């Protein structure tokens, strides 16, 4: 388990990089998985990690599990690495943006 200071720092980092609200993320996950014929059930839309991020956004810090903490670490690391990559062709930027949005980070959001 993580000590209180580490958890506080991780909580802050996670909420800094995850700049989409739970409603925005839930809507994005549904849109991302929808196709011409069907749309997934709201609680089944998106990747497992995207669903886990959504669940974390709806929790209090005191309710976090060890799995939540690991996902938070992974998301902070991934988003931080991906945001540092700039100056790519537009199609690559769009693909990267959509990947980051699945983790709750919209690079175009102020």
């Amino acid at each position: 388990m993580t000590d209180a200071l580490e958890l506080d720092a991780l909580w802050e980092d996670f909420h800094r990089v995850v700049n989409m609200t739970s409603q925005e993320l839930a809507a994005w996950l549904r849109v991302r998985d929808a196709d011409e014929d069907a749309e997934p059930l709201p609680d089944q839309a998106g990747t497992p990690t995207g669903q886990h991020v959504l669940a974390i956004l709806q929790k209090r810090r005191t309710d976090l599990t060890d799995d939540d903490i690991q996902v938070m670490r992974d998301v902070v690391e991934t988003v931080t690495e991906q945001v540092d990559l700039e100056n790519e062709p537009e199609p690559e930027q769009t693909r990267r943006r959509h990947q980051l949005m699945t983790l709750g980070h919209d690079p175009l959001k102020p």
Side-chain angles (χ1 to χ4, degrees), residues 30-71:
R30 285 191 307 273
V31 166
R32 181 187 167 279
D33 277 4
D35 61 23
E36 291 179 11
D37 300 323
E39 182 175 321
L41 295 173
D43 62 338
Q44 297 175 355
T47 64
T49 303
Q51 282 293 324
H52 204 145
V53 169
L54 184 58
I56 292 168
L57 288 174
Q58 298 167 343
K59 289 185 176 189
R60 296 176 306 192
R61 186 181 334 201
T62 56
D63 296 332
L64 295 174
T65 66
D66 289 341
D67 286 342
D68 295 337
I69 291 168
Q70 186 58 52
V71 167

Side-chain angles (χ1 to χ4, degrees), residues 67-86:
D67 286 342
D68 295 337
I69 291 168
Q70 186 58 52
V71 167
M72 290 170 68
R73 283 186 181 123
D74 293 345
V75 167
V76 168
E77 181 180 327
T78 300
V79 170
T80 302
E81 287 173 359
Q82 294 297 315
V83 168
D84 288 342
L85 298 173
E86 302 276 333

